[in-house]
């Protein structure tokens, strides 16, 4: 029951003194005390009744209220019989700790309030448990064969008033009842779940986002016919789904927790069905990958692609373009991330499941939204063959755009279906970093689009080179695209660390020291000057400086470093130093 309901019950003689914004707190019991420290008898959720015998002076109120708030009590009700009115210092302490406080009329016995609360709470629990038992029976007959996880979640919402969503490890919504969960909230919850799972704590895990409390249940099939449990949580942490329930399950009775565990089992069956449906796509990708890697004739690869295209892009009239994405997940010993995988965990299957999720548009919901993605794995590496609709190209006369089948059409840059490395990881970097913790890394490489079987071998090599560029960068989750292979950034990650440090220190340390001592902002000035191609007027406008001030700063940079920013060689050295720092 809620505090608000107690306040609205006239027979209890309660008068609100503070905490009107906290009246929706749940009351799970009642306790009467005049101890100065009753913490050992509190479990949270109680309405505490006190006659104030513990209070000798105003200084006693703050520690008493702090103890109650720390124990998570629902509210404090103080009797007026002892002092006639409730002391202001007690009311102020409750306001500081956001603890609702009531005055109990001297004509009302504490026993009356206790009896009422116990009767109401016991009745609610009995009804709730009865509903749980009945719901468990119905849920077990309404599993995936009866409509998938959405049906199960609908029943939770309609009968138990529980709002719940099934989320992927990146936070993408797979199923839900009612309003969809905002994407950023889903990603945050997934991050909480992955981080808690990596610590070894058993679910459900509790998380609060934007003031709303959620309980996070892992979804794993532990029933008959299920795959053997992983010996190491890292083998499955990046691929398991989770069930997010908008409620605090920490005080749920065992029957209700058992019900939610049953729900996760039903959803796990749906997950297994989805994985089985991916078998054909995975086999197609594996066959194409083996042909490409063994140097098979383009005609043989083309024949296999013609088989794959209808499965991956049903209904498409023209042969698609293709992109290749390579992913690698490496686990090392804790404290030594990014090095060789020393854990003995097979990285290929982990990267395969993860890449299948990453390549799904985060805005797309549903368990089958990845039905056009084919991912194979070899060794510790996963390779995705991604079909793209044939893109338009300019016609010979420079007029309308011409599609791959020769028909006229139109397209825009926004319609370009090609994958881009940074965009792939933008929505999933935070939750995946939580799952990788201190001993894992994910690196991705993305090729350019190719339009013929002859180009697939080059695309695979291009994606692998891009992944190695990503692997040379710092961070838990990194990606690189094909366009970076034709840039200086391809070379920078492979500069030895000692050379990098010596080069940047010689050029930039004098400027950093000067900035630290004089707050002169020489480093930002240097960056802006180079970014403006040495244009005095554009750089001054960007920095909101007078040109003479800019000239003074550039002169100081040259004086401190012995370089001349009018020379191309010195500009290039500064540019590289900034990129490597």
């Amino acid at each position: 029951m809620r505090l608000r309901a107690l306040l609205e019950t006239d027979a209890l003689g309660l008068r609100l003194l503070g905490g009107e914004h906290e009246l929706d707190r749940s009351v799970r019991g009642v306790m009467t005390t005049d101890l100065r420290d009753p913490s050992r008898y509190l479990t949270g959720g109680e309405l505490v009744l006190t006659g104030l015998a513990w209070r000798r002076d105003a200084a006693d109120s703050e520690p008493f209220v702090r103890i109650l708030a720390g124990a998570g009590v629902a509210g404090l009700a103080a009797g007026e019989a002892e002092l006639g009115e409730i002391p202001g210092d007690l009311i102020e302490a409750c306001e500081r700790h956001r603890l609702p406080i009531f005055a109990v009329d001297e004509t009302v016995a504490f026993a009356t309030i206790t009896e009422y609360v116990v009767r109401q709470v016991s009745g609610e629990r009995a009804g709730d448990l009865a509903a749980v038992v009945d719901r468990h029976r119905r849920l077990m007959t309404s599993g995936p064969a009866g409509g998938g996880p959405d049906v199960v979640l609908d029943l939770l919402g309609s009968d138990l008033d529980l709002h719940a969503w099934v989320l992927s490890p990146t936070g993408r919504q797979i199923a839900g009842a009612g309003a969809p969960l905002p994407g950023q909230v889903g990603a945050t919850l997934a991050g909480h779940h992955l981080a808690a799972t990596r610590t070894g704590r058993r679910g459900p895990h509790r998380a609060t986002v934007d003031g709303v409390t959620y309980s996070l249940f892992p979804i794993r099939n532990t029933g008959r016919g299920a795959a053997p449990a992983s010996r190491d949580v890292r083998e499955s942490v990046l691929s398991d789904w989770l069930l997010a329930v908008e409620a605090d399950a920490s005080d749920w009775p065992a029957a209700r927790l058992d019900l939610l565990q049953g729900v996760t089992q039903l959803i796990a069956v749906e997950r297994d069905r989805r994985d089985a449906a991916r078998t054909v796509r995975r086999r197609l990708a594996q066959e194409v990958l083996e042909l490409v890697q063994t140097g098979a004739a383009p005609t043989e690869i083309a024949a296999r692609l013609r088989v794959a295209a209808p499965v991956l892009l049903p209904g498409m009239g023209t042969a698609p373009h293709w992109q290749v994405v390579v992913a690698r997940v490496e686990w090392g010993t804790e404290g030594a991330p990014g090095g060789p995988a020393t854990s003995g965990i097979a990285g290929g299957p982990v990267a395969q499941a993860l890449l299948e999720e990453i390549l799904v548009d985060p805005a797309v919901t549903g368990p089958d939204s990845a039905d056009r993605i084919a991912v194979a794995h070899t060794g510790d590496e996963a390779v995705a063959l991604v079909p793209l609709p044939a893109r338009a190209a300019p016609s010979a006369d420079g007029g309308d755009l011409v599609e791959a089948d020769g028909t006229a059409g139109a397209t825009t840059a926004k319609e370009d279906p090609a994958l881009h490395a940074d965009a792939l990881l933008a929505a999933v970097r935070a939750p995946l970093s939580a799952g990788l913790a201190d001993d894992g890394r994910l690196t991705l490489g993305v090729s350019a689009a190719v339009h013929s079987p002859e180009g697939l071998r080059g695309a695979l090599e291009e994606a692998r080179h891009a992944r190695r560029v990503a692997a040379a960068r710092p961070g838990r989750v990194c990606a690189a695209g094909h366009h970076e292979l034709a840039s200086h950034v391809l070379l920078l990650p492979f500069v030895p660390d000692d050379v990098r440090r010596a080069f940047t220190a010689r050029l930039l340390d004098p400027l950093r020291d000067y900035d630290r001592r004089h707050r002169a902002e020489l480093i930002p000035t240097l960056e802006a000057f180079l970014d403006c191609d040495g244009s005095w007027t554009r750089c001054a406008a960007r920095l909101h400086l007078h040109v003479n001030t800019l000239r003074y700063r550039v002169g100081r940079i040259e004086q401190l470093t012995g370089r001349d920013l009018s020379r191309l060689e010195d500009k290039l050295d500064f540019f590289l130093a900034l990129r490597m720092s």
Side-chain angles (χ1 to χ4, degrees), residues 58-112:
D60 294 334
S61 295
E62 170 63 26
F64 181 77
V65 173
R66 185 171 60 249
I67 289 170
L68 298 188
V73 304
L76 173 65
E80 294 181 320
E82 181 74 18
L83 301 179
E85 63 178 16
I86 309 305
D89 51 84
L90 179 59
I91 298 173
E92 292 172 2
C94 288
E95 289 178 348
R96 282 194 297 272
H97 292 276
R98 300 182 63 181
L99 182 67
I101 180 170
F102 305 88
V104 182
D105 191 274
E106 61 181 2
T107 61
V108 178
F110 283 176
T112 301

Side-chain angles (χ1 to χ4, degrees), residues 221-223 225-230 272:
N221 190 355
T222 57
S230 301
D272 291 345

